[in-house]
Amino acid sequence: MNRTTGAFFLDKDQLKHRRPTENNSKNDANLTLVEEKQQLQRNYKNVSRKRIDWINSFLLTIWTCYIRLWKISQPSSVVFDEVHFGGFASKYINRKFFMDVHPPLAKILITWAAQVAGFDGQFDFKEIGKDYLKSKVPYAQIRIFCALNGVMVVPIAYWTMRNSGFSVATAILTALMICYENSLIANNRLILLDSILLCFTAFTLLTWTNFRNQVNRPFKLWWWIWLSLTGVGLGLTVSCKWVGLFTIATIGLAVVKELWSLWGDPEIKMNEQFKYFLAHTICLIFIPFAIYATCFKIHFDMLPLAGTGTSYMSPEFQTSLQGVKFPESTFADIVYGSKISIKHMGTNGGYLHSHDHQYPGGSNQQQVTLYSHNDDNNWWFIHKADTDEVNKLEYVKNGDIVRLTHLKTQRRLHTHDIRPITNEEKYHYEVSAYGFEGFKGDSNDNWRLEILDYDGPDPYAGERLRARRSQFRLVSVTQKCALFSRKYKLPEWGFKQQEVTCMRDALYPKTIWRIESKYQLLPIVPSDAEVVKYEHKGFFARFLELNRVMWNVNKGLSPSHTYSSRPKDWPLLKRGISFWSKNHKKIYLIGNPFVYWLSSACIFTYLGLKIIVFLLAKRRIRIPNHLESNLFKYNYAMGLFFVSWALHYFPFNLMNRQLFLHHYMPSLYMAILTAGAFFELFTNKLPTPIRWTFVITSIVAIIYVYRVFVPITYAEPWSTEKCLEATWRSTWDFRCKWYSSAE
């Protein structure tokens, strides 16, 4: 063989330095022409494939619009949590501050859509079944906005599968599984947050997939675009619901894996490593945080007025709202004879309160509660234990024995050796307001004031009682218990106000109080007496406080509800949620069983397959070549889908609050993508006609099951017989006898 062909050269460097000849030049020219022709052919195929993908995604979008928007105006009354999220839109439009456990972005978007539709905020969405038509609420237009977010999940899923390397057949099957998923349809066409959350979650996964396709072109334009858009997606997702934190965890783990691989590459210099780290930090931490904080800034700007959520916030926060009733400033020193309001520091329950209503049991004396709003029944007089007369200026000091007299009813704060109605424990004592005309009180009215250590700028707040600065406990002289409150709402007889008792060995923070406001009606206090006022909080202080309150309220949500379920019930679709029922029509949130059970089976099969492959590898046993090559080819995509499913699913098992089937929807999306990947894994070696036969058969099965549950997805007429036929699990409480018989 001629040496000039390069056949005997041992490496590429030798080939590069060989002597050029006329023949070599001709051969190189011919080779260049062939390569250019091949590259043109590849480019043409890529353009052709992209054109087909755009056509497919467009057709899928149009068809999903039909599925999602069909009869979207029914029912014409409030459905399930439209009570909350429609109501929040009303509050935004009326500019009144409210409290919700979710970040504000999705609610703001719904509000803007409502305003564009012409909603004036006068409808209150107060209860399920309240009629929209009488009040001329543009509810259908608002629902359409939410539904369109759900629609976009379908083409996004198609592109996610295609850009992950899966075939057109697999991408179409995956997209249609989402399109015909009954629970997504029923949920996404209502005024709820979930469709917006799911859209942003799917968008984030797509942008990260596209970024991964640029991994060999670091720091180029599209590398930066897709990395930045992933950060935007993370910010949008977590700004809708804190479930977005699970999406952040998914991308975070993927980033850690990527950076760890780069760290182990000796060819990448340290300055390059730093550039990678800095780029990911900016795009995936700073951008999401900026979006999240911006959403709260918009939230605050849209809600300048005091409203139903005001009482959850600190007084310092409340002073930033217009229309707050309590005074911004008050006299600092508390002297005997002062009129005071007392705030509980251990909960957001509000002010020490009493009203002219008696306990229905126990002592049958006047109720004492916590009330979260400013009210005349929150006012008390503070007196010495031995007299109500005030003849001179005398400060209330640490260790004093005091009495509190209710302003309106003139009864004294009182405790005694009687158990509260709500608690039979021996260490709990009932607290009441007790007394009558001419009665000078008894020792059970006496409380020892214990002022807590104070390390602030006020030199007196630890020695004598000072408004808004001193924190204190009230300990019963006779029962040796401390005035206490917990997050427990009394029944209807207590007007759903928070319980107050006296408790021995109580949790210390739940026994701490503070004087909120003080009025001095006596002339003995000089007119120029010191005044204290709350400092207005800046944006970041309000931002942090609101997020802390959201967290605490979220933890305190009741774990029980008629249609609540636990995470173990979701993958196998144990039960659903009754959203609405009227006139023998119903919306019941239940998934497409074919899609649910197939996707769950694929999740558990993937986990089992990975375990088997790992065990076989330890024994150096080879699996079939085609399966091994497919697992290697799709390993990253399938691993990403599975980890994302797990991170969106398992954390719910740690939550001791009410949960519902719709909390599974982000995990369901990931499970469906995993199911699509499994279809590719086991069919990509089949002939194209057979493969498409499997696709079409699967789609027909999906649509058939979808149609079985159409009546409870769209609130269509149904019969008892059809309902019973569709009750495939005994735990599905459709209440079929409620429907009319087909006869």
Side-chain angles (χ1 to χ4, degrees):
M1 183 177 289
N2 194 325
R3 280 186 175 272
T4 58
T5 64
F8 293 153
F9 285 94
L10 299 178
D11 56 51
K12 294 180 181 179
D13 290 335
Q14 289 176 298
L15 285 170
K16 289 179 182 177
H17 294 94
R18 63 182 179 167
R19 181 182 298 174
T21 64
E22 185 177 349
N23 288 336
N24 287 341
S25 299
K26 289 180 180 179
N27 290 338
D28 288 346
N30 290 335
L31 186 60
T32 302
L33 288 173
V34 171
E35 289 175 347
E36 288 180 356
K37 185 177 180 180
Q38 290 174 343
Q39 183 62 43
L40 287 172
Q41 289 175 341
R42 283 195 295 270
N43 290 341
Y44 176 78
K45 287 181 179 179
N46 286 336
V47 170
S48 178
R49 281 197 293 265
K50 288 294 182 185
R51 185 183 295 115
I52 292 172
D53 284 335
W54 280 110
I55 292 171
N56 288 340
S57 61
F58 174 77
L59 293 175
L60 285 167
T61 303
I62 296 300
W63 184 248
T64 307
C65 282
Y66 168 71
I67 298 296
R68 291 290 199 274
L69 302 180
W70 184 67
K71 293 190 176 182
I72 199 167
S73 61
Q74 71 179 34
S76 59
S77 58
V78 177
V79 178
F80 194 56
D81 276 352
E82 289 186 338
V83 166
H84 300 300
F85 303 117
F88 293 147
S90 293
K91 291 180 172 66
Y92 271 122
I93 293 171
N94 291 307
R95 302 170 64 79
K96 292 185 177 181
F97 185 81
F98 63 88
M99 176 63 211
D100 181 43
V101 297
H102 302 302
L105 177 58
K107 298 189 289 285
I108 290 172
L109 294 176
I110 290 172
T111 301
W112 288 343
Q115 289 177 308
V116 169
F119 180 49
D120 60 6
Q122 298 307 304
F123 186 81
D124 60 12
F125 296 86
K126 196 170 185 179
E127 58 187 4
I128 295 174
K130 188 169 183 178
D131 188 65
Y132 285 131
L133 298 178
K134 291 180 181 178
S135 301
K136 299 181 180 178
V137 179
Y139 71 99
Q141 295 91 317
I142 307 173
R143 285 179 180 173
I144 287 171
F145 168 76
C146 295
L148 289 176
N149 281 275
V151 166
M152 292 308 300
V153 175
V154 172
I156 288 174
Y158 176 88
W159 281 105
T160 300
M161 298 302 288
R162 290 292 289 136
N163 292 348
S164 296
F166 298 102
S167 65
V168 171
T170 296
I172 289 176
L173 176 60
T174 304
L176 288 176
M177 288 173 73
I178 296 169
C179 174
Y180 284 103
E181 209 296 299
N182 294 71
S183 66
L184 293 179
I185 297 169
N187 178 280
N188 292 177
R189 50 193 267 118
L190 300 173
I191 306 172
L192 305 175
L193 308 185
D194 302 284
S195 62
I196 303 172
L197 170 71
L198 190 59
C199 181
F200 289 148
T201 302
F203 170 79
T204 304
L205 197 66
L206 172 61
T207 54
W208 177 255
T209 300
N210 291 346
F211 167 73
R212 284 286 305 167
N213 291 337
Q214 301 293 321
V215 71
N216 294 323
R217 305 179 71 245
F219 307 110
K220 301 296 183 183
L221 177 62
W222 282 105
W223 187 91
W224 279 108
I225 288 174
W226 290 120
L227 184 61
S228 299
L229 286 176
T230 301
V232 170
L234 291 174
L236 296 175
T237 304
V238 77
S239 297
C240 291
K241 280 188 175 183
W242 279 346
V243 173
L245 292 171
F246 306 150
T247 310
I248 290 176
T250 301
I251 302 302
L253 282 179
V255 169
V256 169
K257 179 180 181 298
E258 179 183 328
L259 293 179
W260 184 250
S261 298
L262 292 172
W263 180 256
D265 189 343
E267 294 184 2
I268 301 178
K269 298 178 181 179
M270 286 300 297
N271 63 331
E272 287 289 305
Q273 298 275 6
F274 179 74
K275 285 172 63 179
Y276 274 107
F277 177 80
L278 185 61
H280 285 76
T281 300
I282 292 172
C283 294
L284 302 182
I285 297 178
F286 290 165
I287 289 179
F289 178 78
I291 292 173
Y292 186 74
T294 299
C295 290
F296 278 89
K297 180 64 170 68
I298 297 170
H299 177 73
F300 292 145
D301 290 345
M302 292 177 69
L303 301 172
L305 307 178
T308 57
T310 305
S311 61
Y312 288 90
M313 314 310 297
S314 70
E316 293 85 353
F317 187 106
Q318 292 182 39
T319 56
S320 66
L321 301 172
Q322 302 170 26
V324 175
K325 291 183 179 179
F326 70 80
E328 187 172 328
S329 61
T330 190
F331 288 111
D333 277 311
I334 307 302
V335 299
Y336 285 108
S338 299
K339 185 178 82 167
I340 58 176
S341 65
I342 306 173
K343 186 176 180 67
H344 190 235
M345 302 304 295
T347 66
N348 284 318
Y351 304 95
L352 188 65
H353 177 94
S354 188
H355 40 237
D356 196 9
H357 295 273
Q358 283 65 46
Y359 291 114
S363 67
N364 297 114
Q365 294 174 7
Q366 183 171 299
Q367 298 174 16
V368 173
T369 64
L370 281 192
Y371 187 51
S372 58
H373 302 282
N374 286 283
D375 186 84
D376 288 342
N377 280 320
N378 298 343
W379 291 107
W380 303 78
F381 285 115
I382 186 166
H383 294 117
K384 285 186 172 183
D386 55 356
T387 180
D388 291 349
E389 295 182 4
V390 180
N391 299 315
K392 62 179 180 177
L393 181 68
E394 189 171 355
Y395 298 121
V396 181
K397 297 179 180 179
N398 183 33
D400 284 0
I401 306 300
V402 302
R403 288 181 175 182
L404 296 173
T405 304
H406 190 241
L407 172 66
K408 273 205 163 186
T409 63
Q410 290 299 301
R411 294 188 174 103
R412 296 177 184 88
L413 187 70
H414 183 91
T415 190
H416 38 219
D417 192 12
I418 296 176
R419 304 284 80 76
I421 299 176
T422 58
N423 200 312
E424 290 296 327
E425 299 291 346
K426 291 184 178 180
Y427 49 78
H428 261 290
Y429 299 84
E430 181 190 81
V431 172
S432 64
Y434 177 66
F436 47 86
E437 188 175 353
F439 178 63
K440 294 185 178 181
D442 59 33
S443 60
N444 285 329
D445 301 335
N446 296 344
W447 301 83
R448 184 175 67 255
L449 182 77
E450 297 180 353
I451 299 178
L452 277 59
D453 292 337
Y454 177 81
D455 57 1
D458 189 330
Y460 307 111
E463 301 172 4
R464 65 180 191 241
L465 197 56
R466 303 267 284 179
R468 301 184 182 179
R469 293 178 181 173
S470 302
Q471 295 187 4
F472 61 90
R473 303 170 78 230
L474 289 171
V475 179
S476 170
V477 172
T478 56
Q479 309 304 326
K480 311 301 181 185
C481 57
L483 192 66
F484 167 86
S485 185
R486 59 187 174 122
K487 289 184 177 180
Y488 173 77
K489 300 294 184 183
L490 294 171
E492 293 294 338
W493 55 258
F495 305 97
K496 298 289 186 179
Q497 294 174 14
Q498 188 165 307
E499 180 187 45
V500 172
T501 62
C502 195
M503 184 176 174
R504 289 180 182 174
D505 301 320
L507 289 173
Y508 201 80
K510 301 294 178 66
T511 63
I512 297 175
W513 305 80
R514 183 175 71 183
I515 305 298
E516 187 69 36
S517 298
K518 174 246 181 172
Y519 282 102
Q520 182 60 48
L521 305 180
L522 301 174
I524 58 176
V525 177
S527 59
D528 61 347
E530 183 184 356
V531 170
V532 292
K533 64 179 183 178
Y534 289 121
E535 297 294 332
H536 288 237
K537 284 192 171 185
F539 165 70
F540 278 106
R542 289 186 293 153
F543 167 76
L544 292 173
E545 179 179 337
L546 180 54
N547 276 268
R548 184 174 64 253
V549 171
M550 288 162 54
W551 175 265
N552 290 332
V553 173
N554 197 20
K555 284 197 305 181
L557 290 176
S558 169
S560 61
H561 187 278
T562 306
Y563 289 99
S564 62
S565 54
R566 296 304 299 170
K568 63 182 176 60
D569 303 327
W570 300 340
L572 299 180
L573 201 59
K574 185 176 180 180
R575 68 180 315 212
I577 313 168
S578 180
F579 270 13
W580 175 92
S581 57
K582 191 175 183 181
N583 298 331
H584 301 291
K585 294 181 181 179
K586 177 181 292 198
I587 293 180
Y588 189 96
L589 186 82
I590 195 76
N592 184 315
F594 184 92
V595 174
Y596 257 79
W597 295 338
L598 177 64
S599 61
S600 296
C602 289
I603 286 290
F604 297 124
T605 302
Y606 173 80
L607 181 60
L609 188 61
K610 293 294 285 186
I611 293 172
I612 290 170
V613 170
F614 174 77
L615 294 176
L616 291 178
K618 292 296 286 183
R619 297 291 299 171
R620 298 184 181 181
I621 300 174
R622 295 286 301 274
I623 60 176
N625 288 336
H626 72 278
L627 181 58
E628 184 178 23
S629 63
N630 283 347
L631 283 174
F632 179 79
K633 181 179 180 181
Y634 303 121
N635 181 61
Y636 183 87
M638 294 182 73
L640 180 65
F641 300 157
F642 175 80
V643 169
S644 186
W645 172 85
L647 289 174
H648 284 84
Y649 173 70
F650 286 112
F652 283 110
N653 290 273
L654 305 176
M655 299 181 188
N656 188 30
R657 51 152 289 187
Q658 56 185 230
L659 297 170
F660 300 93
L661 180 62
H662 60 75
H663 287 114
Y664 185 65
M665 287 179 178
S667 287
L668 175 63
Y669 177 76
M670 307 303 169
I672 292 172
L673 297 185
T674 305
F678 259 92
F679 178 83
E680 181 86 8
L681 188 68
F682 292 109
T683 65
N684 69 339
K685 296 296 183 182
L686 296 177
T688 300
I690 296 177
R691 198 172 189 208
W692 276 101
T693 300
F694 276 116
V695 170
I696 293 170
T697 303
S698 299
I699 292 171
V700 169
I702 292 166
I703 295 174
Y704 172 79
V705 177
Y706 151 79
R707 289 187 60 82
V708 169
F709 298 97
V710 158
I712 53 175
T713 303
Y714 299 94
E716 285 287 281
W718 218 15
S719 66
T720 299
E721 291 79 7
K722 291 291 184 182
C723 176
L724 289 171
E725 290 175 9
T727 307
W728 297 354
R729 295 197 64 176
S730 60
T731 52
W732 293 353
D733 43 356
F734 295 158
R735 299 181 182 177
C736 295
K737 293 182 179 179
W738 180 78
Y739 290 99
S740 301
S741 176
E743 296 178 1

